[in-house]
Amino acid sequence: MIEIGLVIYPGAQLAAVLGLTDLFGVTNRIAMSHQKAGAPVLRVTHWRQDRASEAPTCVLDTCPDESAGKLSALILPPSLDEPVGGDEAAALTAWLRDHHAKGVALGSVCAGAFVLAGTGLISGRRITTHWSYADLLQQRFPELSVDADQLIIDDGDIITAGGLMAWTDLGLRLVDRLLGPTVMIETARVLLVDPPGREQRYYSVFSPRLTHGDAAVLKVQHWLQATQASDVALSTLAAQAGLQERTFLRRFQKATGMTTTEYCQRLRVGRARELLQFSNTSIDRVAWEVGYSDPGAFRKVFTRIVGLSPGDYRRRFGAKGAGK
């Protein structure tokens, strides 16, 4: 069973918590209808932090009679109060770091990004929040790249959504990742949430396996995500894991289901898709930006993974004003 946790920190917007609970409840009914067993597929838990000095505890479980499973994701909802951060969130950020180290994906909506940034897990990476908080977030965390133009930024192990009501987008993004596009589209239809404009960012998104339990491999996965797979040499990856190369290769493939080459190609292609969608950067330059010195090799890899050439992908999914 897939478990998604919603974190009720001091000042968290309860409307978003309840809305996400309902969204995932609809998703669970749809997913159950697609299987013969009829057993629950998706469990939602609420984790409440009553005091800033204490870690959150579970206060609600939508499937209390089912056996315990592993968390797949934790979501920090918006806040209508001043953004939480600093020493007042120390216990919460330590708790989040611990779960992230175990392979749990972390997500935030709007001002929840401040708590997420406080974990120190996303230094040097891109993050979004509500446009009115963008400058403050950048000032508090200068090591981040705050992009408030994006409604949602999916960085694999970290997902951030911008506006106060963007919890619907983040929720649907997780549904697509964990249960597939068919269930996501049906959920959107039931809730009368218009999926066009979202679908292109959902389909064929690389969702790395993070709950395998191999800490050494997980460390390398997080490092690759943070560095955008800029250095994919086997010697470098094995050193990051603290393992011999042959041992590392064996454990990496067992944990992720793919070779290091396949994994890094998918990370790079994921970054290329974003550049092709939302920038005017030439395809040759995109190839260089994501780590390919040979544009021809990049085109072959991209076409094999996505099913479209980079040019066709941009023409089909490029945002208005993006280059052809």
Side-chain angles (χ1 to χ4, degrees):
M1 185 183 297
I2 298 167
E3 180 180 345
I4 298 176
L6 307 177
V7 185
I8 308 174
Y9 57 90
Q13 185 192 34
L14 296 181
V17 174
L18 297 176
L20 281 165
T21 303
D22 288 342
L23 184 152
F24 294 135
V26 170
T27 295
N28 186 52
R29 289 196 296 273
I30 291 170
M32 289 171 61
S33 72
H34 284 274
Q35 63 174 12
K36 295 180 179 179
V41 175
L42 187 62
R43 153 188 265 141
V44 180
T45 50
H46 290 184
W47 299 81
R48 189 172 65 205
Q49 185 189 35
D50 292 321
R51 295 182 178 85
S53 60
E54 299 176 353
T57 56
C58 185
V59 294
L60 183 141
D61 184 346
T62 58
C63 300
D65 298 328
E66 300 293 331
S67 58
K70 284 188 176 181
L71 272 169
S72 294
L74 284 168
I75 300 175
L76 295 156
S79 173
L80 297 179
D81 297 336
E82 286 298 310
V84 176
D87 293 339
E88 61 183 330
L92 178 55
T93 53
W95 182 78
L96 291 169
R97 282 195 299 269
D98 180 60
H99 280 288
H100 181 264
K102 296 174 182 176
V104 178
L106 303 180
S108 70
V109 183
C110 193
F114 286 80
V115 179
L116 187 55
T119 64
L121 296 169
I122 48 178
S123 297
R125 296 165 70 174
R126 294 171 64 246
I127 188 173
T128 191
T129 187
H130 192 281
W131 60 267
S132 65
Y133 289 136
D135 289 343
L136 179 61
L137 183 63
Q138 189 69 80
Q139 290 169 13
R140 287 193 187 179
F141 302 96
E143 70 278 11
L144 301 179
S145 176
V146 180
D147 185 357
D149 291 334
Q150 300 300 320
L151 181 63
I152 188 165
I153 294 177
D154 185 346
D155 210 15
D157 57 330
I158 303 289
I159 310 174
T160 54
L164 194 66
M165 296 298 293
W167 56 264
T168 58
D169 299 88
L170 188 145
L172 289 174
R173 176 67 192 90
L174 278 176
V175 170
D176 176 68
R177 171 186 291 196
L178 299 172
L179 294 170
T182 299
V183 175
M184 183 275 288
I185 291 295
E186 289 189 41
T187 301
R189 286 174 178 165
V190 169
L191 296 175
L192 299 182
V193 178
D194 188 14
R198 296 174 180 148
E199 297 174 41
Q200 64 188 28
R201 296 187 62 101
Y202 295 158
Y203 294 149
S204 302
V205 173
F206 176 45
S207 299
R209 188 187 300 172
L210 300 171
T211 56
H212 46 69
D214 190 325
V217 171
L218 185 63
K219 179 183 177 182
V220 174
Q221 289 178 272
H222 290 331
W223 182 80
L224 285 169
Q225 198 79 45
T227 61
Q228 297 183 355
S230 58
D231 185 353
V232 298
L234 175 58
S235 57
T236 302
L237 301 181
Q240 286 289 327
L243 300 171
Q244 294 294 322
E245 292 183 6
R246 181 175 294 182
T247 302
F248 169 69
L249 284 175
R250 175 177 54 79
R251 284 173 57 174
F252 189 94
Q253 184 155 13
K254 180 181 179 181
T256 66
M258 59 185 70
T259 66
T260 55
T261 298
E262 293 168 335
Y263 190 94
C264 293
Q265 285 176 343
R266 289 183 177 275
L267 280 180
R268 288 177 166 184
V269 166
R271 173 61 177 153
R273 289 175 69 243
E274 183 175 314
L275 291 172
L276 291 168
Q277 284 180 263
F278 300 105
S279 79
N280 292 306
T281 307
S282 70
I283 292 174
D284 285 2
R285 182 64 186 178
V286 168
W288 178 265
E289 290 283 345
V290 301
Y292 288 92
S293 58
D294 181 355
F298 164 71
R299 284 176 166 85
K300 288 180 181 179
V301 171
F302 188 98
T303 302
R304 175 173 56 81
I305 291 176
V306 178
L308 294 170
S309 70
D312 287 340
Y313 184 87
R314 171 170 273 172
R315 280 186 286 274
R316 181 173 295 188
F317 296 119
K320 186 177 181 181
K324 298 293 185 181

